[in-house]
Amino acid sequence: MTSAEHTPSDAGPAAGVRWDLSDLYASPSDPALEADLDRALAGARDFERAYRGRVASQSAHALALAVDALETLNEPVTRALSFASLLFAGDTADPRHGALLQRVQERASEIRNTVVFFELEWVALTDEAAATVLRDPLLARRRHFLESIRRYRAHVLSEPEEKLLEETSNTGRRAFSRLFDEVTTSLRFQLEYAGQVADLSEEEVLSKLHEPDRALRRAAAAALTAGLRTNARLLGFVFNTLVQDKAVLDRLRHFEQPMQDRHLANEIDAASVEALLSACERRYDLVARYYRLKARLLGLGRLEDHDRYAPLPGEVGERSFADAKRIVLDAYGDFSPELATIARDFFERRWIDAELRPGKRGGAFSASTLPRLHPYVLLNYTGNLRDVMTLAHELGHGVHQSLARVQGLFEQDTPLTTAETASVFGEMLVFRRLMREETDPRVRLALLCGKLEDAFATVFRQVAMTRFEESLHAARRAEGELAPERVNDLWLAANRPMFGDSVHLSEDYGWWWLYIPHFVHSPFYCYAYAFGELLVLALLRRYDEEGPAFVPRYVALLAAGGSDAPPHLLRDKVGLDITDPAFWDGGLALLEDLVAQAENLADSLRSNGRA
Ligand SMILES: [Zn+2]
């Protein structure tokens, strides 16, 4: 494909790279979709007839068969949900897509409600009774699944209450979440620059923050702020509603802290997360140290918030999508030909959607579907180095999800904390390969700085975002509905300690929490990124120590998916102990090494008169 001149409004350097969803269904009106939903509902009703009121009295063998049946009946509904959400992500502006997603979610709720009795009866068993049946080797394959349902024991409600919550969430929480997507994907930003006004999408205006021209970056920041402010009333209302919805659910489900349900879902305890967060906060000095270096390299005094993503002198220009594909597959292949083969399928079998399109969801993701199918990757490829890294990142997810399909529908997906393992690892492989190939010290310095900025965005920024969310939920619970300006203050208060005096965060920057989807879609998601990055640095250290012997152990870790709690899998597969509070300091020390390398490289360039 060509990357000839394109205006901000066309499809970008990955023009034509669209996914083919026909492995799921031929079209939104494919009769197979409706048939799948009918089949799932019929399966759910059969399941109910067979097991309602009898879960406690099942033998281990019968219980294993019940879980198999539950998995089988969930497959067609998962297929329909995958298709509807991917179709919607690809074009949120088409009202038929929103309508399909809504309908499938409503049907899925009906199916879920029909079988919810199973989990409720299972958690109602006493610990002794559950332990007795779980000890049976016939249940070995389902032990983790059944045990992990029981961790919600203190937090489930009665069956009518659960059904009510499930059904009303389609017009409550899920509807607000979708409204946020529809509003943010349709936002337009007026960029005033060099006497012209350009009408840009969120993706496009954000990409202008990476431009070398400071005036253009400043104009892009102003355009983003103005667009967000204009919609602050609506988006702020969505935030307030969802934060309060969570407060109500937490109260009803007896969660004492806003983060508690996330920790439970992540199969991690609060103390381990706090150890991670505070270990990172103790090293905020690295962020300030790096941005002081960056200011020097850019020849600027103090950096403004819109200077954070300014490119450095050695940064290379636009990369075609074909080039990005080659770089990523080569880097994966150096590490493991098996991983490269899996990643190559995504390109060749059209499981990637990379072009820019109006109405397409921003950002990037990889979505697992059914174990017998394959994941799909969405990105918005604009051609900079960051996008190459995003491709490496999402394919890491894709490879991880592909390998873990052997665990079946219920255990193929990992908790969020280890979900970022292969993605961040993939980015590191690409970074290392680029560093190996590059001989020009100026380009090497730019690559190193790019890696540092990514790592900081993944570690420290996510910790600051978690602290922001903590303060947001606490403030809403204590003060009632929050004015956007109040949330701006919380956002700035959480971000300022990270930069110290190295970057000036303006009042305008205060509005920038408004477009971050994680706060809306998955509260307290963000710490998983910091967890993932620091875990990956530890894994890389293992790889450097062990060489090729590490590769099959790593692949086995990925293939284990969500079949056990992360601390157990990491201990058993690769010998890492993440319950040790000092564990996180190892990865942070590696980041400090990278900062020192960048400083040294900058100094040697300066003494050679080339900086
Ligand atoms: Zn990711």
Side-chain angles (χ1 to χ4, degrees):
M1 81 216 46
T2 62
S3 57
E5 270 117 273
H6 56 274
T7 60
S9 58
D10 74 20
V17 181
R18 287 173 175 235
W19 55 30
D20 171 7
L21 298 179
S22 66
D23 285 346
L24 293 164
Y25 298 103
S27 75
S29 53
D30 187 340
L33 190 150
E34 213 55 48
D36 271 347
L37 292 169
D38 291 344
R39 194 151 57 89
L41 184 60
R45 288 185 176 144
D46 289 346
F47 184 85
E48 187 182 21
R49 270 189 296 274
Y51 296 103
R52 180 182 279 282
R54 301 189 200 119
V55 176
S57 60
Q58 298 297 311
S59 68
H61 178 63
L63 202 54
L65 290 178
V67 178
D68 290 346
L70 199 57
E71 198 167 51
T72 305
L73 77 88
N74 267 290
E75 282 186 6
V77 69
T78 304
R79 184 189 276 260
L81 271 173
S82 295
F83 180 73
S85 14
L86 292 169
L87 198 68
F88 180 69
D91 181 5
T92 62
D94 187 332
R96 288 171 305 178
H97 297 173
L100 179 70
L101 181 60
Q102 185 71 17
R103 194 162 55 81
V104 174
Q105 278 174 346
E106 286 168 9
R107 296 286 310 269
S109 289
E110 186 184 4
I111 293 157
R112 190 178 144 62
N113 274 343
T114 309
V115 297
V116 71
F117 74 89
F118 177 80
E119 288 182 20
L120 298 174
E121 287 186 31
W122 169 244
V123 299
L125 252 73
T126 63
D127 286 340
E128 296 73 28
T132 307
V133 66
L134 284 175
R135 258 197 302 276
D136 196 307
L138 286 170
L139 263 179
R141 203 167 52 84
R142 297 299 189 181
R143 188 169 295 137
H144 173 257
F145 172 74
L146 287 167
E147 270 176 351
S148 61
I149 297 176
R150 287 183 60 82
R151 69 191 194 275
Y152 290 100
R153 191 155 192 244
H155 308 291
V156 293
L157 306 174
S158 72
E159 186 173 344
E161 289 169 325
E162 288 292 347
K163 286 182 166 174
L164 200 65
L165 287 176
E166 170 62 31
E167 207 163 339
T168 51
S169 72
N170 287 324
T171 42
R173 181 164 44 84
R174 285 178 202 141
F176 277 101
S177 202
R178 183 180 138 200
L179 177 64
F180 177 87
D181 282 351
E182 292 198 2
V183 171
T184 51
T185 50
S186 64
L187 286 183
R188 305 301 296 176
F189 299 89
Q190 310 308 312
L191 177 75
E192 293 177 36
Y193 176 67
Q196 308 254 331
V197 180
D199 178 62
L200 303 182
S201 71
E202 182 192 299
E203 287 289 326
E204 289 162 345
V205 77
L206 286 171
S207 77
K208 297 279 179 256
L209 294 171
H210 298 260
E211 289 287 336
D213 176 358
R214 194 179 202 192
L216 178 52
R217 293 198 303 271
R218 190 184 304 123
L224 181 66
T225 304
L228 292 174
R229 273 188 87 145
T230 310
N231 290 279
R233 191 168 161 196
L234 174 55
L235 294 175
F237 184 78
V238 171
F239 267 80
N240 266 295
T241 303
L242 287 168
V243 169
Q244 180 56 13
D245 182 74
K246 176 158 171 48
V248 171
L249 282 176
D250 281 353
R251 175 169 51 75
L252 295 174
R253 294 192 180 282
H254 313 291
F255 286 114
E256 280 154 23
Q257 300 293 333
M259 269 205 274
Q260 198 181 349
D261 66 328
R262 176 63 67 202
H263 297 336
L264 209 57
N266 283 342
E267 300 184 70
I268 190 166
D269 59 88
S272 295
V273 175
E274 189 50 43
L276 162 71
L277 296 174
S278 49
C280 292
E281 285 175 311
R282 281 197 298 275
R283 296 318 315 267
Y284 272 173
D285 63 296
L286 292 174
V287 180
R289 198 171 134 189
Y290 170 73
Y291 282 101
R292 280 194 290 272
L293 170 68
K294 179 157 187 172
R296 207 178 88 200
L297 293 170
L298 291 171
L300 297 173
R302 187 176 58 164
L303 295 184
E304 294 296 325
D305 47 59
H306 53 260
D307 295 324
R308 286 171 304 147
Y309 306 119
L312 289 162
E315 224 162 89
V316 275
E318 183 175 288
R319 295 186 191 251
S320 70
F321 190 69
D323 209 20
K325 170 184 166 185
R326 181 192 56 79
I327 294 165
V328 172
L329 291 181
D330 285 355
Y332 272 53
D334 286 348
F335 175 76
S336 156
E338 183 189 356
L339 297 194
T341 304
I342 299 172
R344 184 169 295 109
D345 273 349
F346 282 79
F347 298 96
E348 286 170 9
R349 305 175 71 175
R350 298 182 55 208
W351 301 341
I352 299 188
D353 199 292
E355 68 176 12
L356 310 176
R357 281 195 305 275
K360 178 173 165 179
R361 228 196 85 171
F365 65 76
S366 174
S368 61
T369 60
L370 286 182
R372 79 180 70 167
L373 293 176
H374 53 82
Y376 281 97
V377 163
L378 175 142
L379 37 124
N380 288 275
Y381 189 81
T382 63
N384 57 41
L385 182 64
R386 180 84 278 280
D387 292 329
V388 179
M389 289 300 180
T390 302
L391 179 64
H393 180 103
E394 299 307 334
L395 282 175
H397 282 304
V399 165
H400 194 170
Q401 289 161 344
S402 295
L403 285 166
R405 289 176 309 146
V406 293
Q407 302 301 336
L409 184 65
F410 287 162
E411 299 204 297
Q412 61 174 354
D413 293 322
T414 65
L416 298 178
T417 43
T418 40
E420 296 300 334
T421 308
S423 53
V424 179
F425 198 87
E427 284 190 67
M428 285 304 280
L429 293 176
V430 168
F431 165 67
R432 285 178 158 200
R433 176 159 179 119
L434 290 169
M435 282 298 270
R436 265 204 312 279
E437 285 178 352
E438 191 54 62
T439 51
D440 181 341
R442 274 166 31 107
V443 180
R444 287 174 61 79
L445 178 58
L447 280 171
L448 196 50
C449 291
K451 184 70 235 169
L452 276 168
E453 288 181 24
D454 286 349
F456 289 175
T458 316
V459 177
F460 301 111
R461 179 172 152 83
Q462 305 300 326
V463 170
M465 297 216 274
T466 305
R467 293 304 194 202
F468 161 71
E469 273 191 290
E470 280 185 293
S471 66
L472 172 69
H473 287 269
R476 175 64 184 84
R477 288 173 191 204
E479 301 163 24
E481 191 161 300
L482 302 169
E485 290 80 2
R486 171 77 178 114
V487 185
N488 295 1
D489 292 342
L490 299 173
W491 175 246
L492 287 169
N495 278 281
R496 282 189 168 131
M498 176 172 63
F499 291 107
D501 61 0
S502 66
V503 178
H504 171 244
L505 299 182
S506 63
E507 291 302 312
D508 272 9
Y509 182 73
W511 295 90
W512 291 23
W513 53 275
L514 275 165
Y515 72 91
I516 297 178
H518 295 78
F519 302 148
V520 166
H521 296 306
S522 344
F524 300 105
Y525 188 116
C526 293
Y527 75 76
Y529 287 114
F531 183 109
E533 177 91 23
L534 294 177
L535 172 63
V536 162
L537 293 174
L539 289 169
L540 272 173
R541 217 151 54 155
R542 277 292 148 100
Y543 176 43
D544 292 338
E545 286 160 14
E546 297 176 15
F550 171 81
V551 177
R553 303 214 283 146
Y554 174 75
V555 173
L557 173 70
L558 300 187
S563 60
D564 203 349
H568 299 163
L569 287 179
L570 288 164
R571 184 196 59 207
D572 298 346
K573 306 288 179 191
V574 288
L576 292 177
D577 177 14
I578 60 161
T579 60
D580 176 0
F583 173 80
W584 310 107
D585 296 333
L588 290 162
L590 278 177
L591 288 180
E592 181 163 25
D593 285 350
L594 289 179
V595 175
Q597 276 181 45
E599 287 168 342
N600 292 337
L601 200 49
D603 285 345
S604 65
L605 277 169
R606 191 151 64 160
S607 56
N608 292 336
R610 296 179 62 184

